[in-house]
Every structure is written in C-alpha cells, then in structure tokens.
Amino acid sequence: MFDLVGFLKSVIYNVLTIFSFGRKKLSNTLSIYVKTNTGSTLAVDLEPEMDIRDVKMMVAPHLGLEPKEVKIIFAGKELSDSTSISECDLGQQTIIHAVKARAILRRMNDKRLLESNASEKIIETVSTKPLCETMTDLQMTDECSEEMRASAGVRRKAHFFVYCSQCEKVCTGKLRVRCSICKSGAFTVHRDPACWDDVLKKKRITGHCENYDTPCVENESGDPPFTEFYFKCAEHLSGGEKDFAAPLNLINFNHKNIPCIACTDVSETVIVFPCEAGHVTCLECFRQYCVSRLLERQFVEHPLGGFTLQCPVGCEGSYIDDVHHFKLLSKEQYERYQRFATEEYVLRNGGVLCPQPGCGMGLLVNPECKRVQCLGGCGFVFCRNCLQGFHLGECLETPQPNSESSQGYTIDPLRACDARWDEATKIAIKVTTKPCPQCRTATERDGGCMHMVCTRSGCGYEWCWVCQTAWTRDCMAAHWFG
C-alpha cells in the first residue's frame, strides 16, 4: 500500500535540504586572541567543549615549541590542560597569554618566602586550580577575616557590577589582573583576593610576571611585583587589555534576600551601605534617595568620598567613598550633581561664582582681590563684593540716575532696571529671596511662618525672615505668622 504521507514528508525534507545547502550552521564558536611574550598575537576560534590542551596544540607551532612547553595564562592564573573553555569565563575577542614554560625564578627575601617547599606549594596551587574555582568564584566582603578565609570551601559565585562608559549604564563586570610594573596580563598571582580591599587598594597581593625572559621585580632586593586588579564590562565585546570599567563595590547580588529599608521589597541587586549595620536599599530607592537629596542640596563634602551621601538611616561612618555610584542618576541629574559639587568646592575654598546669567563659572581668586574676571568662561569682569560689573569706589545697591540723554528725555533708573530683559530673573530673585544670615545662600519663602531653616548642606541655620537674625522666642511672639 502506497504511503502518501511518508512520501510527502520525504519530498519536503529533500527540498529543505537542497535550499539549506551552503548555509552556515549555528555555532557557539568563541573568537579570541592569544598574545605571546614575543609580541605576536594569534587569532583562534575555540569551541566550548575544547580544553586548554587543545589550545596549546593550536598555539605551539606558531611559537616553535612543543605543546608541553607552553603555558596558558588568563586572569592571573595558569590554566591546567584539563580546564575546559566553558569553565574559563571567556568572552568574544578576549585576550589570553601564551608563554614558554620555564623554571620560575623567585628572588624574594626570607620575610616574604620562608621555605622553598612553601613556594613550590604556591606554584602548584596557581597552576592546577581551574579558573572557575578561583578568580570568578569569589564572594567579596568589605573586610578580610580569618573566618571568611576558612569558609572559602563554601563560596558562592561572585557577581561584580561596574559602570561602563561605553554602555552608559550599570553592567555586570569581570575581574582581571595585570603586572603593576609593565601592565602585562601575562601575570600569575600568589594568592586570590579575599576581600574588596585586596582588589581596590594598591600593593596588597604579589605575583609573578611572565612577560619577559627576565621577570619584573619590585625593587633592588628582587621582591616580586604587585598585582594590579581592574574590571571589564561583561556586556560588550572586549576592547583589549586597556578596556576597563569603574567597579561599583557597594552594589551586590542579593543572595541573602535582604529587604530594602525603603520599599521593603526583596530585589535581585541592591546597594549595601558601608555602615556597621550594612543597611540595604534597592537600586530604584537609591536613585530616589539621591534625587531628593540633590534637589535639597543635601550632599556633603567628605574628605575621602568627595561630594557624597551617607546611609539614609544616618549611621556614623557610612559615607559612600566612590562617587561612581551616583552614575545611577540620569544624565541630566548627574550633570547637576557635578555642578553642585563644583560650586560647593569653590565656595568652601573661598572662591566665587560668576554672576553672569548662563555662566556660573567657579573661580578661585586671592581673598584680597576685588576685581575678578571670569577666565575660561564668559570673560565677564565683576566686583567680588557686590557681584556687579567691576567699578571703582564703594559698591552701590542701585545705579546712579542719568539725567542726560542723547534723545532729549530723562529715564527713571528704577523703571529702567525693571525693563531690562536679561535682568528680569535677577530682579525677581532680589524681591522674593533673602540671604541666609550665616552662609549667605539665597532663600525663597513661598508661604508658611517666618521661621526659616537653611537647606544648604552643612548649614541648617534657623533664622527669622523679618529680622534676618537668629530665630528667638521674641520673633515667635511678635511675628511668627507675620
């Protein structure tokens, strides 16, 4: 009996086969670059199921070596032959290093290396541990502790976050290392970083540079060079060893399921403030917190963190010390943050701001200098005391009347002042605002009582709108509500 259904299936299959002839099949091929210490760079295509032994066989002929004479180094580790490509956390166009295997010469003093047996153990650990169990399998903490090192066997996979200027957003990141002297990635670390201080602070972990026949040394004593850690964005193609992104060490993967102190939701990624309690907010609540403080000019100048904020709870010693975290603001908000930070710096250091509308350039000038020119800005020359155009003699509140006119009529100077288009905003400010008696910040009263509190960060002076002096019980009794 003729099978019509089977015949039709066969015809359709053959037609599809003919039309698909010559087309590329989908593949997970990884295109990477192998950099040698001779200066040459090789482009190779790898499959996830391949291992480092296969890479050595591909690279060795180009170096004139046997596969067993080649070492493959990536992210501060010598990769073992049995390590698979899928374990290495490689991305497209990633750079790995291939060097000639040789006896590692270590010229360390006795304080850094007690016994030759200990050094052999370090070398063996570095060269046999798979990459996924070392550099990418870290759960960073804020402080190093013996207890944390003891629990290294039950680590969770780390999630690093960075601000990528190319992607213009917060992205996941990858931790990478290089020699602090020659900046080469052909570098193996003597130990893994155990905390954020190991990564962010200099000269914490030593290593061995494989870039030259004569290894880099830190000093005349032959001490090994220090490791330089940096981060790369994991969400775009690698731009080489000079491609890096700013680490956001306060953003963490919420593996403990801690609720946000503001909205109480449990988010996947959170901000952990550097306070003793480790208060947590979600990223959206952190943005809202920053925006509200920005509009109220409540950011403060901190000796270590710059123009920054502390934990919303007000915990002591909880100031954010890396301003890259404020990149979570929108572009317009971050530009305002930078402008406010500049203005605060200028004012705190005895400087002035250019009074020309649309300029506002910050100028640091000699305290005795009365004539100020806006160099680098609009070029306006003004009086430091009254912020009007530069003049000789005492400062005047209003311009002198001018009775002479080429048109044969006189002009009321007060009306002329009101009629100037560019001065409209300045006049409105003079009418509707008064300066804080303590810091001289312009303050606008839009209703309510006469009890004013300066909103400028670090001031908070309480004063009377009518008397323009410190707020007292007499003010409360006489004109609290006008």
Side-chain angles (χ1 to χ4, degrees), residues 219-230:
N219 47 43
E220 295 180 355
S221 301
D223 293 338
F226 286 97
T227 305
E228 184 177 299
F229 291 92
Y230 67 102

Side-chain angles (χ1 to χ4, degrees), residues 233-244:
C233 174
E235 299 183 20
H236 69 256
L237 294 179
S238 173
E241 292 182 313
K242 295 184 179 180
D243 182 18
F244 64 91

Side-chain angles (χ1 to χ4, degrees), residues 158-179:
H159 293 260
F160 302 118
F161 295 91
V162 299
Y163 179 81
C164 177
S165 57
Q166 181 174 330
C167 300
E168 294 186 343
K169 64 175 184 177
V170 175
C171 303
T172 55
K174 295 182 178 181
L175 182 62
R176 297 291 180 258
V177 301
R178 57 192 171 203
C179 175

Side-chain angles (χ1 to χ4, degrees), residues 214-358:
T214 303
C216 296
V217 293
E218 188 67 27
N219 47 43
E220 295 180 355
S221 301
D223 293 338
F226 286 97
T227 305
E228 184 177 299
F229 291 92
Y230 67 102
F231 286 84
K232 302 180 70 172
C233 174
E235 299 183 20
H236 69 256
L237 294 179
S238 173
E241 292 182 313
K242 295 184 179 180
D243 182 18
F244 64 91
L248 303 178
N249 61 303
L250 298 184
I251 301 182
N252 287 282
F253 181 73
N254 193 9
H255 61 87
K256 296 182 179 180
N257 296 324
I258 305 298
C260 170
I261 61 173
C263 66
T264 69
D265 288 342
V266 177
S267 303
E268 186 177 14
T269 53
V270 293
I271 292 277
V272 182
F273 283 88
C275 53
E276 186 175 354
H279 289 118
V280 168
T281 65
C282 63
L283 300 189
E284 184 57 34
C285 288
F286 177 74
R287 290 190 190 96
Q288 294 179 6
Y289 170 58
C290 293
V291 170
S292 65
R293 291 295 182 265
L294 185 66
L295 295 177
E296 298 172 359
R297 297 195 72 135
Q298 290 297 306
F299 277 71
V300 296
E301 189 74 24
H302 191 265
L304 298 178
F307 200 53
T308 185
L309 291 173
Q310 62 178 342
C311 171
V313 182
C315 300
E316 185 179 355
S318 61
Y319 288 100
I320 297 173
D321 58 2
D322 191 341
V323 298
H324 285 102
H325 289 85
F326 301 125
K327 286 282 191 177
L328 272 72
L329 296 167
S330 68
K331 184 177 181 180
E332 185 275 330
Q333 292 165 348
Y334 188 73
E335 289 176 352
R336 179 183 295 184
Y337 160 79
Q338 289 181 308
R339 184 171 71 253
F340 286 177
T342 303
E343 292 175 358
E344 190 69 22
Y345 175 82
V346 170
L347 295 175
R348 283 183 175 272
N349 287 274
V352 293
L353 304 178
C354 176
Q356 275 290 79

